[in-house]
Amino acid sequence: MSSERLTAVRNALRHLMTGVANASLYAVDHPQVERFCVAARTELARAMADGRELSLLLIDDDLICDGSPLSDTLYAGRFCLALKARGIGHLRFLPGISPGELRSLVGALTKAGQVSGELCSTDNLRFGKVEVRYAGG
């Protein structure tokens, strides 16, 4: 992964998790949360400037992007915990993602969001689970 893409992904995670913290304090529709979602969208667009989607994979306690672990920062670690708490093992961001789609993600990752129903994928944001199977021998 290029250093520019890595930096943009880490910045996007920082903005998303700061948005989650603000949404937990105030509400998902608070102007501060919107500001962080717009900032996260800007960084995600930078990370996907080449037209490729961005895929994050949660394996144990590691967040993997393009084969590189991202869990070595405070915000990536918190993002891992939030995904794990919601049962999300795979997250795909597609070019064209909107701040509204990110606001929905932020709402789902707040502590209050954990009691709500099933997460739904959108046009530019896809949720998934990772299942590891071992071949019998």
Side-chain angles (χ1 to χ4, degrees), residues 23-41:
S24 295
L25 288 173
Y26 307 111
V28 175
D29 61 351
H30 192 276
Q32 276 293 89
V33 175
E34 179 68 22
R35 187 173 71 81
F36 286 114
C37 289
V38 168
R41 195 266 173 232

Side-chain angles (χ1 to χ4, degrees), residues 7-21:
T7 299
V9 170
R10 285 184 171 152
N11 286 339
L13 295 179
R14 178 173 50 88
H15 293 309
L16 285 172
M17 292 314 296
T18 306
V20 168

